Amino acid sequence: MKFRRKPRETVDINLASLIDVVFILLLFFVVTTTFTRETELRVDLPEAVSGSPAEDQEVKQLDIAISADGVFSVNNQVLPKNDLATLIEALQKESAGDPHLPLSISADGKTQHQAVITAMDAAGKLGFSHLRMTTVEAAPAP
């Protein structure tokens, strides 16, 4: 007995609808993408000659320390209040009105951002231009 085989139909994949979907997705991504232009800052770093200051010449420096609770201290003297006016008064007293002294701000890692901004605001209002934020070196990952 001889069985007849059905003739095989050729299977064609309709690529037109696939291409339409790909073009629509491409159009969607092009329209919804925002193109930002990266800006570059030109920074001219100052030159320095290595060396140490003369031993008989002591360089005065101001240091603002901020604890995790937001308590300010200026040159290791804790301030009675944690507000801008008290901090400005303490900085004026310690600097004797000289805004050219170097000023460093040391804040705990868990300090609220507002406390650091308050310290920077006080330094800006008094005209300090040599401002430095101090950090500690991170421990190497194991």
Side-chain angles (χ1 to χ4, degrees):
M1 182 177 264
K2 194 172 184 182
F3 293 106
R4 284 190 176 171
R5 289 187 181 184
K6 291 184 181 179
R8 288 190 173 194
E9 294 181 21
T10 57
V11 178
D12 291 332
I13 297 175
N14 188 0
L15 293 179
S17 61
L18 179 67
I19 292 172
D20 288 344
V21 170
V22 169
F23 280 137
I24 288 174
L25 286 173
L26 180 67
L27 181 66
F28 173 76
F29 287 124
V30 167
V31 169
T32 59
T33 301
T34 57
F35 295 102
T36 58
R37 191 170 163 183
E38 296 294 325
T39 58
E40 295 181 15
L41 294 176
R42 181 180 164 94
V43 178
D44 294 327
L45 297 175
E47 296 178 7
V49 177
S50 62
S52 60
E55 293 177 14
D56 60 337
Q57 185 181 30
E58 184 178 318
V59 177
K60 187 173 180 183
Q61 177 177 330
L62 295 173
D63 182 41
I64 300 174
I66 309 170
S67 71
D69 301 340
V71 177
F72 293 104
S73 68
V74 176
N75 286 350
N76 295 324
Q77 295 176 358
V78 178
L79 301 181
K81 289 182 175 178
N82 300 326
D83 62 346
L84 182 64
T86 307
L87 185 58
I88 288 175
E89 183 182 322
L91 285 174
Q92 282 178 335
K93 179 182 173 190
E94 288 293 320
S95 68
D98 184 13
H100 299 293
L101 293 175
L103 173 69
S104 65
I105 298 175
S106 305
D108 188 274
K110 295 186 173 49
T111 302
Q112 289 187 358
H113 188 63
Q114 181 60 50
V116 177
I117 295 299
T118 302
M120 292 174 71
D121 189 25
K125 286 186 186 226
L126 293 175
F128 285 97
S129 58
H130 301 287
L131 183 65
R132 177 176 49 188
M133 301 292 287
T134 59
T135 61
V136 293
E137 187 175 340

